[in-house]
Amino acid sequence: MNSNRFPESFLWGGATSACQIEGAYNLDNRGLSIADMVKFVPKEQRKGDRPPNVTRKEIQEMLNNEGNYYFPKRYGIDFYHRYKEDIKLFAEMGFNVFRLSISWSRIFPNGDDEKPNEKGLRFYDSVFDECKKYNIKPLVTLSHYDTPLNLALKYNGWSNRKLIYFFIKYAKTVFERYKDKVDLWLTFNEINVIAKNPYIGGGVFLEDSDNPLELSYQAGHHQFIASALATKIAHEINPKNKVGCMLARTVIYPETNNPLDIIKAQRANQMNLFFTDVQARGEYPGYILRYFKENNVYIKKEIGDDEILKLHPVDFISISYYKSVTESSNSNAERLSDSLFTGVKNPYLETTDWGWQIDPIGLRWALNDLYYRYRMPIFIVENGLGAYDRLEYDNKIHDDYRIDYLKKHIIQMREAIKDGVNLMGYTTWGPIDLVSDSTSEMSKRYGFIYVDKDDYGNGSLKRLKKDSFIWYKKVIESNGENLA
Ligand code: BG6
């Protein structure tokens, strides 16, 4: 790369998920998903910044008393009815890629239905056609934190091997249907979340087991097999299909150069990269076998599983990247707020209003590390700043803090490309404000486009361009050269 321009084929855009934008949770035969059962809990009553690991009993209670709760992910930002307006705005910024997910329960309302729901399939036909109108390539996630609720309640989600069968049926349905419209796919969003929050990651209720750790990793194994089989089928249906895995990559640093800290951080990085190790290299690495042994985890595999993993690795690696984490061997060290990926304070880094440690250089580190570990193309499919925005009297939103965050990350992407990393593209998280995954807030905003809606569901849903909208448009126009 001679100039500061990104490679000519570079994909620029934004990323969303069905359960955080669509709404229309009960329209056109859609079934409920696990995301629809996450109630809103105001900040003062929340324990840290962590999505709840809901129990079966709590779900039943909420289903019986629905009127007592507000479930923000049922309503999203009404993309279901406003997708034309939204995609037009993305096109105005110059997107050539748009990451979205298909809501599984829109296609198979109960997850285990005989036939797909035609109205659901038609909706995505229209969305993909709209993208095509503007030459925007859809990058489609099959499962983004929204396992059909029935699969959770009836089978205990991904802990049950039957889910592989249901998922494959769903994957095959959409691969065939959208054969001429989509050729970039991701199987599971942030697949490593299954080990951290099995309800969100796979509709698993931990109380069903006396060995929750084992149950979580067993569910992960089922997702690995489902993902490998989906990759195989995607290639058979359309040889042009490219399928990626998706990891929540949180770089973990040692607190000091004490070898005990170094080894602790290395182990934590391995536990994070275990998922891509399996999906890219097609086998369980030795460090995880040791961990399983020492923690009484016995994964039930069927004959042929190892072969499936080996024969059908992914075509590319995709990651979300928001922050880095620091680990310490000192068990008394104070830990940061209770989020899914947490550690001790890094004095060199600033934090967001939600306590996430901002670390653009960590992104360069992560990209180099991943690329030279797997030698596969990498796609950053999520990165962004969740922040409170202020709507000025003249309907303007001056989000220079967001521009600053994104600019610094793009500079490090550029450095990584100069280091030789094969980076395919970049989709910032939430190009339009959407419902937060972890907190279900609307006030944790990521967008270039402001959506007039508050945490309690009030607002006109009107879309407004923020300052970052104009800025990102210039970045894309100049293929990453102009970051001013
Ligand atoms: C990723 C998820 O973890 O981070 C998204 O894939 C999520 O669904 C994003 O929205 C940002 O997290 P949050 O909790 O701020 O919405």
Side-chain angles (χ1 to χ4, degrees):
M1 197 160 80
N2 294 327
S3 73
N4 280 331
R5 286 176 75 82
F6 279 59
E8 282 316 310
S9 57
F10 197 79
L11 296 169
W12 293 98
T16 60
S17 84
C19 68
Q20 293 168 268
I21 59 169
E22 281 182 11
Y25 75 101
N26 56 1
L27 285 191
D28 298 333
N29 312 326
R30 181 183 177 282
L32 285 180
S33 85
I34 56 163
D36 298 319
M37 299 311 298
V38 178
K39 65 180 181 208
F40 178 65
V41 180
K43 200 166 193 166
E44 317 74 67
Q45 295 166 30
R46 263 195 329 261
K47 270 202 233 120
D49 173 21
R50 175 188 276 264
N53 223 334
V54 189
T55 64
R56 189 185 290 273
K57 205 167 144 210
E58 282 164 344
I59 298 275
Q60 285 305 347
E61 192 277 328
M62 290 189 282
L63 283 171
N64 295 339
N65 303 288
E66 288 209 314
N68 294 348
Y69 302 103
Y70 172 52
F71 301 101
K73 290 178 187 135
R74 293 186 178 195
Y75 307 97
I77 52 162
D78 198 28
F79 178 80
Y80 195 74
H81 295 110
R82 295 167 188 255
Y83 66 91
K84 287 192 179 167
E85 180 189 351
D86 294 343
I87 293 171
K88 189 167 180 223
L89 286 165
F90 298 157
E92 196 181 325
M93 275 185 278
F95 282 22
N96 53 12
V97 65
F98 170 39
R99 176 179 176 224
L100 72 163
S101 74
I102 296 181
S103 151
W104 184 353
S105 63
R106 222 179 258 298
I107 309 301
F108 288 96
N110 300 296
D112 58 359
D113 317 68
E114 230 356 84
K115 291 217 164 72
N117 169 31
E118 180 54 32
K119 286 189 176 164
L121 287 166
R122 242 182 262 153
F123 169 64
Y124 295 103
D125 267 321
S126 318
V127 171
F128 299 145
D129 290 346
E130 203 60 24
C131 289
K132 185 144 194 241
K133 205 160 117 184
Y134 301 104
N135 282 324
I136 297 176
K137 210 173 177 36
L139 164 61
V140 177
T141 318
L142 293 174
S143 180
H144 192 128
Y145 295 164
D146 62 353
T147 306
L149 183 63
N150 176 56
L151 295 183
L153 294 173
K154 196 158 149 193
Y155 303 92
N156 202 16
W158 279 95
S159 70
N160 191 321
R161 197 170 167 105
K162 285 197 181 122
L163 271 267
I164 299 176
Y165 169 77
F166 301 132
F167 181 81
I168 289 304
K169 189 167 168 182
Y170 156 58
K172 201 163 174 241
T173 305
V174 297
F175 290 154
E176 271 164 0
R177 175 76 172 220
Y178 307 123
K179 188 169 179 275
D180 302 320
K181 302 185 180 186
V182 180
D183 60 16
L184 268 183
W185 303 88
L186 303 178
T187 50
F188 293 92
N189 179 63
E190 297 188 331
I191 191 165
N192 49 323
V193 165
I194 193 75
K196 300 258 179 197
N197 186 320
Y199 175 77
I200 298 290
V204 176
F205 299 110
L206 287 179
E207 68 270 20
D208 282 11
S209 168
D210 50 14
N211 188 345
L213 187 68
E214 182 177 81
L215 196 72
S216 310
Y217 279 98
Q218 184 67 53
H221 179 71
H222 295 148
Q223 293 191 339
F224 286 148
I225 299 295
S227 178
L229 288 172
T231 306
K232 171 179 186 277
I233 296 167
H235 291 154
E236 285 163 3
I237 292 177
N238 179 3
K240 281 205 201 125
N241 272 334
K242 296 265 177 269
V243 186
C245 56
M246 191 328 198
L247 179 81
R249 181 65 182 123
T250 309
V251 167
I252 301 124
Y253 298 136
E255 188 184 26
T256 68
N257 54 3
N258 176 349
L260 288 172
D261 283 351
I262 308 271
I263 205 79
K264 178 129 192 205
Q266 183 184 50
R267 175 39 61 123
N269 274 307
Q270 286 175 331
M271 294 306 284
N272 185 247
L273 291 167
F274 153 61
F275 294 85
T276 30
D277 276 353
V278 175
Q279 296 192 284
R281 292 176 165 158
E283 61 187 26
Y284 277 59
Y287 60 79
I288 201 80
L289 300 180
R290 173 179 182 172
Y291 172 81
F292 285 167
K293 209 169 188 180
E294 290 176 355
N295 290 280
N296 290 323
V297 172
Y298 299 94
I299 301 295
K300 281 192 219 84
K301 289 185 183 173
E302 283 194 359
I303 297 172
D305 279 7
D306 287 340
E307 206 183 1
I308 291 172
L309 295 179
K310 197 79 207 167
L311 289 177
H312 309 290
V314 287
D315 300 308
F316 65 96
I317 309 280
S318 84
I319 57 164
S320 60
Y321 179 88
Y322 292 91
K323 58 184 174 182
S324 64
V325 155
T326 298
E327 263 305 344
S328 168
S329 58
N330 172 7
S331 49
N332 295 322
E334 194 194 330
R335 300 191 68 82
L336 292 167
S337 84
D338 186 30
S339 100
L340 274 187
F341 301 92
T342 181
V344 301
K345 188 163 171 44
N346 183 335
Y348 301 101
L349 301 179
E350 287 179 3
T351 56
T352 71
D353 286 338
W354 279 261
W356 295 14
Q357 298 190 110
I358 303 173
D359 183 10
I361 294 175
L363 177 60
R364 176 178 177 189
W365 190 96
L367 292 173
N368 270 275
D369 181 56
L370 279 168
Y371 182 65
Y372 290 106
R373 192 178 181 105
Y374 303 118
R375 294 279 183 166
M376 280 186 178
I378 303 175
F379 205 136
I380 301 165
V381 297
E382 286 187 30
N383 170 243
L385 177 72
Y388 293 110
D389 286 338
R390 210 175 72 215
L391 183 62
E392 305 290 345
Y393 67 96
D394 54 356
N395 273 348
K396 294 268 191 294
I397 302 104
H398 303 301
D399 56 342
D400 44 311
Y401 36 89
R402 182 166 295 107
I403 295 174
D404 185 60
Y405 176 102
L406 294 170
K407 187 190 290 180
K408 287 181 174 150
H409 284 80
I410 294 175
I411 289 172
Q412 296 305 319
M413 283 157 46
R414 190 193 271 162
E415 292 301 318
I417 294 173
K418 288 182 179 170
D419 293 333
V421 171
N422 178 355
L423 190 62
M424 299 164 67
Y426 179 60
T427 53
T428 66
W429 179 249
I432 181 164
D433 293 344
L434 39 67
V435 177
S436 154
D437 169 57
S438 56
T439 66
S440 290
E441 292 163 309
M442 266 309 290
S443 50
K444 189 180 188 187
R445 296 174 183 274
Y446 285 88
F448 304 116
I449 303 161
Y450 183 90
V451 176
D452 177 29
K453 186 172 179 179
D454 70 12
D455 289 344
Y456 298 88
N458 310 304
S460 65
L461 288 171
K462 199 169 157 89
R463 274 64 169 153
L464 297 168
K465 297 174 197 170
K466 304 181 194 177
D467 286 358
S468 57
F469 183 102
I470 309 295
W471 172 81
Y472 197 44
K473 184 173 160 44
K474 280 196 223 142
V475 172
I476 300 178
E477 239 164 37
S478 65
N479 197 13
E481 190 162 32
N482 181 2
L483 302 181

